[in-house]
Structure formats: C-alpha cells, structure tokens
Amino acid sequence: MTAMSSTGVTPNRRAVGWNVQFTIGRSMKPRAFAGIYQVPDSDLVTFRDVCDELRLCFEFPNDLSREDNRDNSYSDNPWASITFALTDPPDLADSGVRGLSFVTGDLLDRPVPSLQPITSKEQNVIKYHIVLHNTCNLSRNSPLDTHLKEGCARHLSSPIRRHDPRYLPTDGIPSNPNLSILDNSGDTESDDTFVPKDMEKDAAKRRVDYFRSSCLDNADHCAVTGLGKPWCTGLLIGPAIHACHIVPPTHYYLYPSGEDDSGDVTTADNSPRRLLLAWHNTWDPKNGILLKQDLHECFNTRLFSIHPHTLRVRVFVPYDVLTPFNGKKASVPSSTDWRALQHHYEMCCIENMAAKRPAALTVPPPVSRGKEAEVGLWKGENGCNRMQLDLDGTQTDLKTSPQYKTDVLDSYITPSNYREFLADVNWELGRFKARQRRI
C-alpha cells in the first residue's frame, strides 16, 4: 500500500473539509470564497483570527473599490472593519450559534462556532456573509437586510488571492536559479536535498547527516503525542519517530531570516549570502521537531500546524488521525525558532483557507548569463570587457590576465556575478537597517 502523498490532498479536498464558510459580494446566492475547519466545540479559532487570516490570503483590487470605500473609512485595513453576518442559520437552539448572528466589535474575540458533522464525509456547514459595518443602534440580532437598508452595513467587492512571495505549494519545485540538488541516495527519510549552487557538497552532506542526531539532543519523543520514548538504553529514540523540518528543506530559500522580528523573508532572492544562511538555518536543530511518522507526513502536507506563540496544535481538516490533538499544547524545545513555526502556520492558513482560489504560479526567469557585450561595465579596446582597478589606479583587462585563463577570482565584479553581488549588497543593507530600527 502506498502512503498518502501531498498531491493526493488537492485544494478541492481541503475545501470539502470546511465546516465554516465565508461569502462576500452582492449576489443573491454568493459562493464561498474562503473557509476554515473548526473542530466542533473548540475555542481555538476566533473571528478575529479569521480576520487576520483573510488579510493574509486575500486583498481587494486597488484596496477597496471607490464605491465600497466612498467615505475613505477603510483604506488602511479593510479586513479590520469587517462584520460577519450569519446566513442560513441552523435550526438548533443549543448549537452555540445563538448570539453570533451578527458578529462585530467585541464579538470578534469569540470563538467561531461549528457543528457536529452530518457524516464522516459531510460537514454540517455554517455560513457567514462578510460586509463592512459602521457602529449603529440596531440590535445585534437584527438581520443583515435591516443593517443594509439602514445604511450602516454595505457589501464588499469580491477579493482576489493575495500574492505572498513566501508561499510555495507543498509539492512545489523551487524555481530559484541559484539552487542545485545534493544527491541524498541512501537517505530513507528525504528525497534529493536542494542546496546553494556554490556550496561545498561534502560539507552539505555532513550538515544533513548531523540534523537528525542534533534534534535528538533536544527531545526524546513526538512533540504532539508525547510518544516514542525508547524502552532501553541502547535506543536514542523509538522506531517511527522522525526528525521533522518545520520549514521544508526543499523550500530552504524561503526560510525567514529577517532581523526585524517580523518573520518576513527578504526579497533579495539571488543573494548567495542569504541563501547560504537560509540553508544552514533550515538544517539547524532549531528548525526541527520530533514527530511520529504519520504526523510527519500530515505536517509536511499542511494538514495541521503548531501556533508559534501558544504552541497549541491546530488541525485544518476533519481527519480523525489529527482531530484528537486539536488544541493540545505541543512539547516543543525552547530552542525552536518561532519564526519557522510562524512560517509553517501561515502557509497552512493560506493552503487551506484559500483552497477555492489556488495561486497562479509563475516561474521567474533564470538569472541572466548574457554576453559581455550586453553589459557595459568598462570600455576596453575589445569592447565591454571585465576590468580590474588596481591599487595604483591603473586598469587591467582580465582577458589578458593569467587568472582569466583559468577562472576569475570571486573578488571581481563580472557580468556573470554582478547580480549576485548586488543582491548581497541589498541584503546586507536590509539587515543593517533592521538593526538600526531596533536601536
């Protein structure tokens, strides 16, 4: 029997698991554009959390249309001003939905209600319609139509999927041209490992081999179940316990290496220095937790995550292997990088909430390796050649230098490395600015 692969969990199958759906727009019967799975009777996800996740996944064309924002009240953060109006209310007096038919103001801090499923494969769905709302004197139990007629509520235009440069599907292949593949033949837990193109391969293999043993120095059991402790001194860890990457090794260049505590990934994608630091961070034990084999696969498939601050487990789909752990506090080593956990958590939010509107992936063009004549650096007798400025102020044509016949020294700026050099400069400047802001 073949194990479930990430490709088996399609966006549509994620959306089938929604038991709370969100609609928007002026249509009489709008279709859900987003949704979440809230384990029944759970208090884990609040309406305010939903606002934050909607902001993470979607944006309005040109912020808000002129008609939506005619009084300029919501230009900075429209998602912070939304209200949730219950539609098709369930006929259940004790369902937990009572008092949450028009959610605004302090009610946003209440947990999102959810119902027990109809069957194991059919959710009992609660639907909320999203509108903009100004403070009014109407009862919170007043229907949405009353708020619309009074003018205190107004419809919103349908949002579009927000482009997040950090996002890559679970089975996405890195498109960064500065990546290469390290042959991991014989490794039973991972496929080929991507590394920076100029990294020394033997050093990379040693780092990869060191990752699992270093994770075992910090924990001896599964972070979610608490199981897997060895039963004798000859074992470091029980069988079927894996050292799991939080940020996947194939996505290493997305590792959050910002110094402003925001967890953001720098946009200097071609910086060799940043790529090398990101790779080392990815294979550092701070990016690792121990998980049972089945949970490792679910974690990689973004079916559950661990909140970076509360460390509570959140399950994103109604999968009975996972739901018993929803809301449980994970046993995560104190050395774990919270930025890595935040990255995984937010990618899970995007993967599942925006499942009905998958991102259109675009592959950036490879770094140019054009002819020297296409790059005007210094003008020599033979055209635009690579030139070295000596200490005495004279210029040396590198084509006539001994080094050129073998290899140009890394210290030279050439048509083949100037993009990476400038990317390194931009990245270092970004780090300097971040440090200055903290002073």
Side-chain angles (χ1 to χ4, degrees):
M1 179 177 290
T2 304
M4 176 192 66
S5 66
S6 60
T7 55
V9 185
T10 63
N12 183 66
R13 289 169 182 169
R14 294 178 189 274
V16 166
W18 293 345
N19 59 0
V20 184
Q21 297 181 359
F22 304 104
T23 62
I24 203 167
R26 296 172 174 79
S27 173
M28 293 294 294
K29 290 288 184 180
R31 294 183 178 181
F33 76 99
I36 63 168
Y37 174 68
Q38 173 90 304
V39 174
D41 302 322
S42 172
D43 64 351
L44 198 60
V45 183
T46 68
F47 284 97
R48 201 171 299 279
D49 293 329
V50 172
C51 292
D52 293 336
E53 293 168 20
L54 287 169
R55 184 188 307 113
L56 179 69
C57 297
F58 302 99
E59 61 187 357
F60 295 99
N62 301 320
D63 293 329
L64 281 174
S65 69
R66 190 178 302 275
E67 182 179 357
D68 290 335
N69 193 32
R70 53 181 177 266
D71 58 0
N72 295 319
S73 300
Y74 313 103
S75 58
D76 292 336
N77 184 9
W79 290 117
S81 306
I82 61 175
T83 289
F84 299 86
L86 186 66
T87 61
D88 302 327
D91 188 18
L92 293 173
D94 298 325
S95 64
V97 182
R98 295 186 63 185
L100 294 175
S101 59
F102 199 78
V103 181
T104 187
D106 57 345
L107 289 181
L108 292 173
D109 293 316
R110 295 275 296 274
V112 178
S114 59
L115 305 174
Q116 294 293 333
I118 299 173
T119 68
S120 61
K121 295 184 178 180
E122 184 179 2
Q123 297 301 310
N124 200 354
V125 178
I126 295 176
K127 292 184 179 181
Y128 279 97
H129 191 73
I130 296 175
V131 296
L132 286 175
H133 182 256
N134 290 323
T135 304
C136 68
N137 295 322
L138 293 175
S139 167
R140 287 178 172 175
N141 294 324
S142 301
L144 174 60
D145 286 344
T146 303
H147 287 272
L148 293 171
K149 290 178 181 177
E150 290 295 321
C152 54
R154 68 185 75 163
H155 287 294
L156 277 165
S157 300
S158 181
I160 61 175
R161 173 73 179 264
R162 175 179 170 268
H163 171 68
D164 193 319
R166 305 171 302 161
Y167 173 79
L168 193 67
T170 56
D171 58 347
I173 299 175
S175 58
N176 192 302
N178 287 323
L179 304 180
S180 62
I181 297 178
L182 171 65
D183 182 14
N184 245 3
S185 56
D187 188 343
T188 58
E189 290 191 15
S190 62
D191 298 322
D192 291 339
T193 301
F194 289 86
V195 298
K197 66 175 184 177
D198 296 325
M199 187 170 187
E200 204 275 319
K201 297 300 184 289
D202 289 338
K205 285 188 176 183
R206 288 194 297 269
R207 185 74 172 183
V208 170
D209 294 339
Y210 177 71
F211 174 76
R212 177 175 169 83
S213 61
S214 59
C215 287
L216 298 180
D217 292 337
N218 297 329
D220 64 352
H221 58 273
C222 171
V224 172
T225 66
L227 304 177
K229 295 180 180 179
W231 65 89
C232 64
T233 56
L235 289 173
L236 291 177
I237 195 69
I241 300 297
H242 287 186
C244 173
H245 287 81
I246 302 171
V247 176
T250 52
H251 297 183
Y252 81 85
Y253 62 101
L254 299 174
Y255 197 95
S257 57
E259 299 201 2
D260 57 355
D261 293 338
S262 67
D264 291 340
V265 175
T266 177
T267 58
D269 291 333
N270 293 328
S271 168
R273 294 186 184 183
R274 189 196 70 82
L275 290 176
L276 188 61
L277 176 61
W279 191 88
H280 276 280
N281 284 337
T282 303
W283 287 97
D284 190 283
K286 68 182 179 182
N287 185 47
I289 55 175
L290 298 185
L291 291 175
K292 287 181 59 185
Q293 182 176 357
D294 56 341
L295 297 185
H296 185 179
E297 186 174 0
C298 292
F299 189 83
N300 287 350
T301 314
R302 295 174 180 162
L303 301 184
F304 81 95
S305 190
I306 299 172
H307 194 278
H309 302 301
T310 67
L311 301 183
R312 295 178 72 185
V313 174
R314 177 177 172 186
V315 176
F316 287 86
V317 293
Y319 186 30
D320 57 5
V321 169
L322 300 176
T323 50
F325 305 110
N326 186 73
K328 179 180 178 181
K329 186 173 182 178
S331 176
V332 174
S334 59
S335 59
T336 303
D337 189 352
W338 70 267
R339 296 179 184 85
L341 287 174
Q342 177 175 305
H343 177 88
H344 185 271
Y345 190 89
E346 292 184 349
M347 295 307 103
C348 285
C349 292
I350 294 174
E351 198 79 62
N352 293 280
M353 172 173 270
K356 281 289 188 181
R357 298 189 180 181
L361 296 179
T362 57
V363 179
V367 172
S368 173
R369 295 289 185 264
K371 297 179 180 179
E372 294 172 61
E374 296 174 352
V375 183
L377 299 180
W378 292 278
K379 199 73 172 180
E381 294 180 359
N382 299 321
C384 295
N385 300 331
R386 288 179 279 215
M387 305 293 291
Q388 174 188 351
L389 185 64
D390 297 329
L391 292 178
D392 59 2
T394 60
Q395 291 183 349
T396 300
D397 188 340
L398 295 183
K399 281 189 175 181
T400 63
S401 68
Q403 292 92 340
Y404 186 84
K405 299 182 184 299
T406 55
D407 193 14
V408 179
L409 297 178
D410 291 339
S411 58
Y412 298 137
I413 305 174
T414 72
S416 62
N417 72 7
Y418 78 97
R419 291 180 183 272
E420 289 87 348
F421 172 80
L422 293 177
D424 276 344
V425 172
N426 288 336
W427 180 62
E428 293 288 0
L429 285 174
R431 299 178 72 193
F432 174 76
K433 290 180 180 178
R435 289 192 294 267
Q436 290 297 108
R437 287 196 295 268
R438 294 205 304 241
I439 296 177

